[in-house]
């Protein structure tokens, strides 16, 4: 089995113990960082995504694959050619204040991670302050907020208003999602993007990275 | 009264929750990520393997009719309950229940309880698969409605005697102010909802009707302010943050519910494809969650439903199989009064909503569910997408399917699922209450009434005797 295939299998299996050694072996063998990402990592993640849709692998495997991919990217970052970027963008994600429903948010975080985004997951019940502080500290591209509870969705609007009031709105693309959230609601509160499902969040996030904050709106529903 | 006597009373009423709190405080420390991604899925997989349950999901026959298989699932759920316990995110520790405690508590699980008063009083009893006793129907789920629609919608729904209890809908504003989670707005919502709800029930002539409370506030604030306003006994919504997990919010509510003489309902859905893995391991997780509810928090009405993570519903093949298997396992092997929700993803006035209802409710009723709360029209994600007709239809199918054999339920599901399954990933959201009803007269528009009657006839043609709603038919 070639080294890229071994990397693919390691990512698919979430093999955190061996992934770094395999990547080093590939680099030592003169394989470019770009090829390691594309032909080792991305191929594995595509397989994971397809198998997840067919209920052949599940969220834990997807998360472990995502974690491995993150390790791979960190390892090859110094070897990327100038102008290349290892990550598609940096995303701060969390459930709005008062909302403890973790699974939808975790699935989106995982889907984004396995598709090349650098994801910082703040967990559940995240205050508006914490979203903003972390986005500032991490120089995020996207702030993604999830709410299953209608009583928590208001905090999405609060976040956008706070960013606007503090003159920071143009720095971040704001994505929202969750059970009660719709395209109409996302537009109404001034978000930049909405996706109906976790799978679709990847398309949305890629769309967001092609636009400037507040200049357009990306809604992916099917 | 001596302090000793007071302590005895308190121990009797609240001892179980105090014990669980102590366990949460002193239990083994584990990160939530380790629990979610390693301990939980690996244990479920190990148990499924040990009991020979992997790859038993048969999506061609979504309603199981093999009692031995259901019993094996129960044994696996029992084993998983012992090995896992409940995770408490507040203390980042595990509340374990050992075999002796599990067995002792299991013997004490009540097989019935009463809620409501006068004409509204209902006895909720455990059921067995194909049980001829009608299950109890509560409506609606906590779907978000405009404030001004709360009373007319509630009145419309509970005007049918098919509806035994009321739970939703939920408010998203209180007297025009946003209902923000974790704030005093929620405290007020608990109070405000009481006044709106009792007025709606009064208008519908349903004084004494029982309730599942509090639906408009997710944290404990609304519960603490609202629950004690109602004449008891009522059903207390002390929901878990996730399956196999319990937190301080739930415990806050449980203390108050116990003190007020309420009946605790506790659950949270397992997700097929999520942390619990595939259909088989997800069914085991649901069974384990239901087994642990009474020992950990004294819930007399547990019922962890199973949703398919790909579309957040449970009327597709994998969802029906998983949920009906978990239901049969509990219903055949325990006195637990089981409640699970059916999550439709299509909205009001779309045929798909009625098809999903036939599938979900028939499988649930025939498999032995004692209680349900429904509908979840449009997956609960579209504001105001709920009318009385969906509630009545759900209730009629759920009650009408009582006594059906598992084979017949399976036959019905096999016939109806192909009518809608290709749309599960992108379901039609239907129309709103204002679109489909005259809000002043509470009459459906003629087209919707006609569709409702046509769908009732369709259910009858499949072999489900549909009881009348007492309003339109």
């Amino acid at each position: 089995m070639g080294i890229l295939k071994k990397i693919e299998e390691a990512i698919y299996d979430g093999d955190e113990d061996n992934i770094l050694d395999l990547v080093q072996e590939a680099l030592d063998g003169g394989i470019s960082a770009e090829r390691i990402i594309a032909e080792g990592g991305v191929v594995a993640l595509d397989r994971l995504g397809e198998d997840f849709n067919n209920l052949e692998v599940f969220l834990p495997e997807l998360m472990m694959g995502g974690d491995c991919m993150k390790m791979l990217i960190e390892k090859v970052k110094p070897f990327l050619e100038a102008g290349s970027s290892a990550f598609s963008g940096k995303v701060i994600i969390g459930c709005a204040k008062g909302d403890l429903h973790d699974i939808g948010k975790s699935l989106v975080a995982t889907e984004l991670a396995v598709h090349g985004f650098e994801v910082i997951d703040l967990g559940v019940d995240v205050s508006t302050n914490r979203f903003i502080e972390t986005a500032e500290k991490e120089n995020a591209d996207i702030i993604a907020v999830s709410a299953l509870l209608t009583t928590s969705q208001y905090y999405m609007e609060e976040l956008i208003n706070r960013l606007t009031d503090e003159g920071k709105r143009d720095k971040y693309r704001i994505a929202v999602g969750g059970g009660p959230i719709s395209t109409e609601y996302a537009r109404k509160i001034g978000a930049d993007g909405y996706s109906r499902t976790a799978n679709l969040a990847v398309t949305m996030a890629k769309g967001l990275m092609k636009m400037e904050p507040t200049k357009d709106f990306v809604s992916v529903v099917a | 009264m001596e302090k000793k006597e007071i302590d005895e009373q308190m121990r009797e009423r609240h001892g179980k929750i105090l014990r669980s709190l102590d366990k949460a405080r002193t239990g083994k420390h584990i990160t939530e990520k380790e629990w979610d991604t390693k301990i939980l899925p690996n244990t479920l997989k190990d148990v499924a393997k040990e009991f020979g349950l992997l790859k038993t999901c048969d999506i061609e026959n979504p309603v199981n009719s093999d009692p031995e298989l259901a019993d094996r699932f129960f044994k696996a759920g029992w084993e998983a309950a012992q090995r896992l316990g409940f995770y408490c995110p507040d203390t980042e520790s595990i509340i374990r229940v050992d075999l002796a405690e599990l067995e002792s508590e299991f013997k004490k699980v009540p097989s019935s309880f009463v809620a409501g008063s006068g004409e509204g009083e209902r006895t909720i009893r455990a059921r067995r698969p194909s049980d001829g006793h009608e299950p109890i129907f509560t409506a609606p789920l906590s779907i978000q409605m405009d404030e001004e629609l709360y009373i007319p919608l509630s009145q419309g729904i509970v005007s049918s005697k098919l509806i035994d209890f009321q739970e939703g809908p939920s408010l998203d504003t209180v007297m025009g102010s946003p209902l923000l989670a974790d704030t005093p707005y929620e405290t007020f919502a608990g109070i405000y909802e009481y006044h709106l709800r009792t007025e709606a029930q009064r208008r519908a002539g349903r004084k004494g009707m029982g309730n599942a409370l509090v639906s408009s506030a997710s944290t404990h604030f609304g519960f603490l302010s609202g629950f004690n306003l109602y004449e008891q006994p009522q059903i207390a919504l002390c929901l878990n943050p996730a399956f196999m997990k319990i937190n301080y919010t739930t415990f806050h509510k449980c203390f108050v519910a116990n003190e007020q003489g309420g009946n605790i309902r506790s659950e949270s859905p397992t997700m097929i494809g999520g942390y619990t893995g595939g259909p088989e391991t997800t069914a085991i997780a649901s069974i384990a969650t239901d087994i642990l509810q009474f020992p950990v928090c004294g819930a007399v009405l547990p019922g962890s439903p199973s949703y398919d993570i790909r579309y957040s519903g449970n009327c597709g093949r994998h969802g029906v199989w998983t949920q009906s298997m978990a239901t049969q396992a509990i219903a055949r092997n325990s006195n637990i009064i089981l409640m699970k929700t059916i999550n439709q993803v299509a909205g009001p006035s779309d045929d798909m909503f009625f098809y999903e209802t036939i599938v979900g409710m028939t499988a649930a009723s025939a498999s032995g569910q004692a209680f349900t709360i429904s509908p979840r029209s449009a997956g609960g994600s579209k504001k105001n997408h709920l009318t009385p007709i969906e509630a009545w239809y759900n209730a009629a199918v759920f009650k009408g399917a009582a006594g059906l054999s598992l084979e017949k339920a399976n036959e019905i599901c096999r016939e109806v699922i192909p009518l809608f399954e290709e749309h599960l990933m992108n379901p039609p959201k239907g129309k709103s209450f204002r679109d489909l009803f005259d809000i002043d007269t509470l009459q459906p528009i003629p087209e919707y009434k006609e569709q409702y009657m046509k769908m009732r006839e369709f259910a009858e043609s499949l072999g489900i005797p549909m009881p009348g709603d007492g309003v339109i038919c």
Side-chain angles (χ1 to χ4, degrees):
Chain A
M1 191 188 290
I3 187 66
L4 289 173
K5 185 68 183 166
K6 282 184 186 169
I7 290 172
E8 178 192 329
E9 292 304 322
I11 299 265
Y12 185 90
D13 294 336
D15 185 357
E16 291 183 353
D17 293 338
N18 290 310
I19 187 67
L20 293 179
D21 289 344
L22 291 168
V23 172
Q24 188 60 54
E25 193 182 327
L27 289 167
D28 291 345
I31 299 174
S32 72
E34 286 81 358
R35 273 190 72 199
I36 293 172
I37 293 173
E39 294 174 37
V42 174
V43 174
L45 299 178
D46 286 347
R47 270 175 61 200
L48 275 172
E50 196 179 325
D51 290 350
F52 177 75
N53 285 333
N54 294 325
L55 289 181
E56 285 162 12
V57 300
F58 312 109
L59 185 56
E61 287 93 335
L62 217 53
M63 289 174 86
M64 285 162 72
D67 287 347
C68 264
M69 183 66 172
K70 203 170 172 181
M71 291 167 72
L72 179 152
I73 287 175
E74 289 296 340
K75 178 84 180 168
V76 303
K77 227 193 241 179
F79 303 96
L80 287 169
E81 285 177 16
S84 299
S85 172
F87 291 108
S88 309
K90 190 183 265 191
V91 183
I92 306 292
I93 191 167
C95 292
K97 187 169 169 54
D99 202 325
L100 303 175
H101 296 86
D102 156 82
I103 200 159
K105 178 271 303 165
S106 292
L107 185 55
V108 172
T110 303
E111 289 277 358
L112 292 175
V114 300
H115 285 88
F117 284 85
E118 184 176 6
V119 179
I120 296 169
D121 187 346
L122 299 179
V124 297
D125 191 20
V126 181
S127 69
T128 301
N129 276 346
R130 190 150 171 249
F131 273 117
I132 296 174
E133 281 166 15
T134 314
E136 290 282 285
K137 186 177 152 210
E138 298 289 341
N139 197 20
D141 297 300
I142 298 173
I143 303 175
V145 190
S146 166
L148 186 68
L149 304 173
T150 57
T151 49
S152 290
Q153 72 183 44
Y154 285 110
Y155 292 106
M156 295 172 166
E157 191 172 8
E158 182 185 273
L159 170 70
I160 292 167
N161 291 342
R162 276 277 309 279
L163 288 168
T164 305
D165 292 346
E166 293 173 16
K168 296 170 182 164
R169 179 66 185 88
D170 290 345
K171 292 168 74 174
Y172 309 107
R173 300 148 181 95
I174 309 295
V176 295
I181 311 303
S182 61
T183 301
E184 297 75 31
Y185 181 77
R187 274 187 186 281
K188 189 182 130 201
I189 64 171
D192 298 303
Y194 161 80
S195 76
R196 197 176 58 79
T197 67
N199 271 349
L200 300 174
V202 177
T203 310
M204 175 202 62
K206 285 180 176 170
L208 286 178
M209 291 307 295
K210 289 180 190 157
M211 61 172 254
E212 292 300 315
T214 76
K215 303 296 182 223
D216 207 344
F217 181 81
V218 182
S219 171
V220 188
V221 295
Chain B
M1 192 185 283
E2 294 294 319
K3 180 177 181 295
K4 193 178 160 194
E5 290 172 80
I6 295 172
D7 285 359
E8 267 171 32
Q9 273 187 15
M10 290 294 103
R11 197 166 294 115
E12 175 77 17
R13 208 172 296 159
H14 303 293
K16 192 178 293 188
I17 303 169
L18 281 169
R19 196 169 60 219
S20 293
L21 276 174
D22 288 343
K23 285 183 185 176
R25 194 167 43 78
T26 56
K28 187 183 174 193
H29 183 268
I30 262 167
T31 66
E32 194 161 11
K33 187 170 180 186
E34 199 181 348
W35 171 267
D36 285 339
T37 61
K38 295 203 170 98
I39 295 172
L40 178 80
N42 292 344
T43 305
L44 292 171
K45 224 182 288 172
D46 289 348
V47 170
K49 208 172 167 185
E50 284 167 35
F51 285 83
L53 297 173
L54 290 173
K55 306 282 178 199
T56 53
C57 174
D58 177 7
I59 58 170
E60 296 307 317
N61 292 292
V63 180
N64 172 61
S65 52
D66 176 355
E68 187 275 329
L69 186 59
D71 293 348
R72 232 174 335 134
F73 265 93
F74 180 79
K75 286 176 189 155
W78 179 268
E79 185 64 28
Q82 275 182 73
R83 289 192 202 175
L84 285 164
F86 272 177
Y87 184 78
C88 178
D90 293 297
T91 56
E92 295 190 307
S93 65
I94 299 172
I95 300 171
R96 286 202 189 282
V97 181
D98 64 29
L99 180 60
E101 192 182 349
L102 204 56
E103 282 176 342
S104 153
E105 290 292 323
F106 197 63
K107 284 181 195 150
K108 296 180 202 160
V109 171
S111 60
S112 70
F113 69 86
V114 171
S117 60
E119 281 184 22
E121 184 181 296
R122 299 283 186 277
T123 301
I124 301 104
R125 292 187 179 83
R127 292 174 75 240
R128 306 278 175 239
S130 303
D131 199 319
H133 285 99
E134 272 190 5
I136 295 289
F137 188 86
T138 298
L141 279 159
S142 296
I143 295 171
Q144 183 186 15
M145 299 296 289
D146 284 340
E147 203 173 313
E148 62 270 26
L149 295 180
Y150 188 99
I151 289 177
L153 176 73
S154 299
Q155 180 190 345
I157 289 172
V158 305
S159 62
S160 168
K161 294 283 169 60
L162 288 174
I163 314 301
D164 298 301
F165 293 93
Q166 183 178 354
E167 178 183 295
S170 65
L171 298 163
D172 73 334
T173 57
V174 281
M175 298 180 67
S177 297
L179 206 181
L180 289 159
D182 226 3
T183 69
Y185 287 114
E186 282 201 322
T187 307
F188 178 62
I191 298 164
Y192 189 46
E193 185 184 274
Y194 162 78
H195 290 284
L196 298 180
R197 181 183 292 235
T198 47
E199 174 59 17
Q201 291 174 4
R202 187 194 66 76
R203 290 185 192 183
R206 298 295 301 269
K207 194 173 180 305
M209 182 177 199
N211 295 278
L213 304 162
V214 169
S215 73
S216 284
S218 54
T219 64
H220 46 284
F221 295 111
F223 183 87
L224 299 183
S225 67
F227 190 70
N228 60 2
L229 299 175
Y230 296 80
E231 189 182 333
Q232 298 296 332
Q234 303 283 355
I235 294 167
L237 298 180
C238 306
L239 307 185
N240 303 133
F243 58 91
M244 306 293 287
K245 288 182 186 175
I246 194 159
N247 62 3
Y248 281 175
T249 292
T250 308
F251 287 130
H252 277 300
K253 294 178 182 179
C254 289
F255 275 125
V256 174
N258 277 345
E259 186 61 25
Q260 298 290 331
N263 302 287
I264 295 174
R265 177 197 155 214
S266 197
E267 56 96 350
S268 191
T270 51
M271 304 292 271
I272 304 162
Y275 298 126
T276 54
E280 300 88 354
T281 40
T282 300
I284 294 169
S286 279
I287 296 162
T289 303
D290 295 341
I291 287 172
L292 285 167
Q293 296 286 9
F294 186 72
V296 174
C297 71
V300 295
L301 189 58
S304 172
S306 300
Y307 300 155
D308 189 322
I309 200 168
R310 295 169 298 180
Y311 60 94
S312 290
N314 56 6
C315 298
R317 292 172 188 274
H318 294 91
V320 173
W321 185 90
T322 305
Q323 182 141 310
S324 64
M325 180 61 79
T327 301
Q328 290 178 34
I330 292 280
R332 284 181 52 79
N333 292 281
S334 79
N335 279 335
I336 291 173
I337 308 163
L338 199 63
M339 117 101 223
K340 287 179 191 285
T341 49
I342 306 302
N343 225 37
Q344 299 97 342
V345 291
S349 84
D350 196 281
D351 284 354
M352 179 173 165
F353 172 86
F354 295 97
Y355 297 148
E356 285 184 281
T357 299
I358 290 171
V359 167
M361 288 295 162
T362 301
S365 187
S367 293
Q369 249 182 252
F371 186 103
T372 196
I373 305 174
S374 210
R376 179 99 71 190
S377 41
S381 66
K382 288 283 279 181
K383 191 175 179 181
N384 299 332
H385 277 49
L386 169 65
T387 84
I389 276 182
E390 297 89 66
W392 304 339
Y393 192 82
N394 271 262
V397 178
F398 192 48
K399 294 186 177 208
L404 288 186
S405 69
L406 294 169
E407 289 79 6
K408 178 66 180 171
N410 185 45
E411 184 191 311
I412 291 169
C413 291
R414 286 180 56 149
E415 186 173 340
V416 179
I417 289 175
L419 301 178
F420 66 86
E421 63 185 332
E422 69 179 294
H423 303 296
L424 283 167
M425 303 293 181
N426 193 19
K429 292 298 179 189
K431 294 180 178 164
S432 73
F433 186 32
R434 286 192 181 90
D435 293 330
L436 297 169
F437 263 69
D438 180 321
I439 309 297
D440 296 325
T441 64
L442 287 180
Q443 289 299 309
I445 60 171
E447 296 83 355
Y448 197 32
K449 185 176 172 182
E450 189 183 327
Q451 184 183 22
Y452 170 56
M453 297 308 292
K454 197 179 98 191
M455 284 296 160
R456 283 181 59 93
E457 282 169 23
F458 177 62
E460 295 262 7
S461 75
L462 294 167
I464 304 166
M466 297 284 280
D469 59 39
V471 181
I472 289 178
C473 57

